[in-house]
Amino acid sequence: MLFFLTPLRPLAFLRAFSCFLALVLLSACGSVPVSSLWKLRQLQLETLDPAALRAAVVHSPGLQLQGNALELTVSVSRTLRKPGGAIATERLEEKLPLQELRSTADRSVLAEYETSRTHVQVWRIDPAALPRLQALRERAMGWKGTDDGSRQLGLGLELSGCQQGGSGSRVVTTLLRFTDTGEYIPLVRNLDLAETMPAHELAKRFPACTMR
């Protein structure tokens, strides 16, 4: 699972740092490319269009990712100070099924990432699940004015599949797009999945592909 955490102000991203870490499966952390930092800081929670959100993964052709079996975890949390000084965290979360987009049009904007040594896969949130994300956003926006405004947004994508031949490159680049006309923002480049989990877990998540 790749998990992207970004602290938020009530209306916008606050810090120029993002961390990929495992809540269940992974344990690696990396910073967003410098070129992506300013773009991420311009994002605003209230203008995020759930229907336009796209997730893309660039990987070697030998690494096959499960298509429609993936879920995107979206969470928003805030820290509350209770009477007496105690600190509590309130968290909203939805696990949203994804649909893989296979058309040339959906992948053409990522043509620069498609080479003889790489393959690009793109997903959107299942349209049937969009009302759940919209409801989460509205609840989070309802927090405005009820606390100090500190927020944290989380986006998590769990990767699994198989490896042709059982070995080879498991290096991935992950990107997100937040608007229909916007660009894909790289969140991590050339991350070796072997560095994010123990070998036995990697073999479980990406076994050798079975012959058909």
Side-chain angles (χ1 to χ4, degrees):
M1 177 184 292
L2 297 178
F3 202 76
F4 162 53
L5 293 178
T6 304
L8 297 173
R9 282 181 178 162
L11 300 181
F13 287 87
L14 172 62
R15 291 173 53 192
F17 180 80
S18 297
C19 182
F20 289 83
L21 64 150
L23 295 187
V24 179
L25 299 174
L26 305 186
S27 58
C29 182
S31 61
V32 171
V34 174
S35 60
S36 301
L37 296 180
W38 178 251
K39 299 170 186 176
L40 291 172
R41 292 185 67 182
Q42 304 310 300
L43 296 173
Q44 296 186 358
L45 184 62
E46 79 278 15
T47 59
L48 177 65
D49 180 2
L53 183 64
R54 298 289 185 270
V57 179
V58 184
H59 56 85
S60 69
L63 186 67
Q64 297 185 7
L65 301 182
Q66 291 179 349
N68 292 334
L70 299 184
E71 287 184 331
L72 180 71
T73 300
V74 180
S75 66
V76 181
S77 60
R78 63 172 175 171
T79 301
L80 300 174
R81 187 176 300 276
K82 294 185 175 181
I87 300 296
T89 299
E90 181 177 0
R91 178 184 174 90
L92 307 175
E93 180 180 287
E94 286 285 354
K95 292 184 177 294
L96 306 169
L98 298 178
Q99 289 183 344
E100 186 173 1
L101 301 175
R102 302 176 183 270
S103 73
T104 301
D106 288 312
R107 294 169 52 188
S108 62
V109 293
L110 291 164
E112 65 181 291
Y113 292 95
E114 191 90 53
T115 71
S116 61
R117 295 181 295 178
T118 60
H119 179 64
V120 178
Q121 288 181 263
V122 180
W123 295 270
R124 68 174 180 179
I125 298 172
D126 186 331
L130 289 176
R132 291 161 50 193
L133 180 53
Q134 181 63 28
L136 181 149
R137 184 173 67 169
E138 290 175 357
R139 290 176 61 190
M141 294 303 297
W143 287 345
K144 185 179 179 181
T146 64
D147 53 29
D148 63 5
S150 178
R151 304 282 188 273
Q152 192 171 65
L153 172 67
L155 298 174
L157 178 63
E158 181 174 307
L159 301 181
S160 63
C162 66
Q163 180 79 47
Q164 291 182 348
S167 62
S169 174
R170 296 185 179 90
V171 173
V172 300
T173 293
T174 62
L175 309 98
L176 284 180
R177 191 182 75 178
F178 297 92
T179 64
D180 283 325
T181 58
E183 63 180 311
Y184 277 87
I185 302 174
L187 299 180
V188 66
R189 293 185 185 273
N190 301 322
L191 174 67
D192 190 343
L193 294 175
E195 299 176 357
T196 67
M197 67 183 83
H200 72 276
E201 195 65 51
L202 183 66
K204 180 180 178 181
R205 300 295 299 175
F206 294 95
C209 298
T210 58
M211 298 296 294
R212 296 182 178 179

